[in-house]
Amino acid sequence: MKQIKIGHNSFTYVWVTGKIIEVKEIAKTVGGGTIYVDPRVSTTSNINISSIIEQDVFLEDTAGQEYAIKLENFNFSCRAGHTITVIKIKKNNEQTGTYIGAFNHNTKEHKKKYYLFSSLTRPDSTTYWLMALCTPFALVFGFSIFHTQYHNMFGDYADLAQATSYLLIPALTILLWIIIYVKYQRKKRKYRNLLQKAYASIDISQ
């Protein structure tokens, strides 16, 4: 077991190594939708169907403990007699977790669900959205206070200075939005890399 804390979340990697007793592969189709038929107009539809490849793998470890493992969309090549390691990740207080990696010790094939590294560590964007929404209002308010306090400083150019500053607000807003977006992306990338680094430190190749 390996634990790591990223931001406000804790993650736990657990894994098991064993010899395959049996493998069953099932292809399932999930989804659905609605087809609208009207003789006066053309037929329209709203259908979303996808396929899931499910592998039921039965393992036995060196202590004789058996495990039933369900892998979805791993496209993992294995057969009875192969020794494999499967890695599961749990977020915070999850009881079940999600399988994120599988390694075949015979073929050396190593499959990982890379998208989980990003989706599980994605930072909360609420604060960033609030910052982005408040930016133009804060700029208008700030410029208004500034001109109220320093109106006499500009003399005859006070009105021109005020108009010029308000013209700058859209450009400054866009600039600050870009900065907020970049900061969020950097944080997201940092969290993802930390989780990947913790995964890479797991010694499953033996």
Side-chain angles (χ1 to χ4, degrees), residues 26-93:
I26 304 170
K28 300 191 300 184
T29 301
V30 296
T34 306
I35 298 177
Y36 304 93
V37 180
D38 190 323
R40 296 168 297 179
V41 297
S42 59
T43 301
T44 59
S45 62
N46 181 19
I47 299 175
N48 184 17
I49 297 176
S50 59
S51 297
I52 295 176
I53 305 299
E54 187 178 279
Q55 288 175 293
D56 291 331
V57 182
F58 299 90
L59 288 182
E60 183 179 11
D61 64 14
T62 54
Q65 177 69 42
E66 292 189 8
Y67 300 86
I69 296 168
K70 192 180 296 292
L71 302 177
E72 289 189 352
N73 287 336
F74 261 91
N75 193 26
F76 184 60
S77 301
C78 59
R79 63 174 176 81
H82 280 184
T83 298
I84 68 170
T85 297
V86 288
I87 304 98
K88 178 185 286 188
I89 187 168
K90 298 180 181 181
K91 183 176 181 180
N92 297 326
N93 297 319

Side-chain angles (χ1 to χ4, degrees), residues 114-199:
Y114 287 99
Y115 73 89
L116 288 176
F117 292 112
S118 296
S119 61
L120 290 173
T121 58
R122 184 177 292 113
D124 183 16
S125 60
T126 304
T127 302
Y128 294 89
W129 276 111
L130 288 174
M131 290 170 61
L133 289 172
C134 292
T135 294
F137 300 103
L139 288 173
V140 171
F141 180 76
F143 277 121
S144 299
I145 296 297
F146 177 80
H147 286 294
T148 299
Q149 293 183 349
Y150 298 98
H151 185 273
N152 295 330
M153 180 189 299
F154 294 101
D156 296 336
Y157 299 100
D159 292 338
L160 177 61
Q162 185 174 10
T164 302
S165 62
Y166 285 151
L167 288 174
L168 290 174
I169 288 176
L172 290 174
T173 299
I174 293 173
L175 177 61
L176 290 173
W177 281 349
I178 293 173
I179 293 173
I180 292 170
Y181 175 79
V182 169
K183 285 178 67 67
Y184 178 75
Q185 292 298 321
R186 283 181 177 176
K187 189 174 185 179
K188 187 167 69 171
R189 184 167 59 249
K190 175 186 175 182
Y191 285 3
R192 181 198 64 208
N193 290 342
L194 285 172
L195 195 63
Q196 285 182 319
K197 185 177 180 180
Y199 181 96

Side-chain angles (χ1 to χ4, degrees), residues 18-23 79-84 106:
K19 182 169 290 186
I20 297 177
I21 303 171
E22 184 182 3
V23 181
R79 63 174 176 81
H82 280 184
T83 298
I84 68 170
N106 295 90

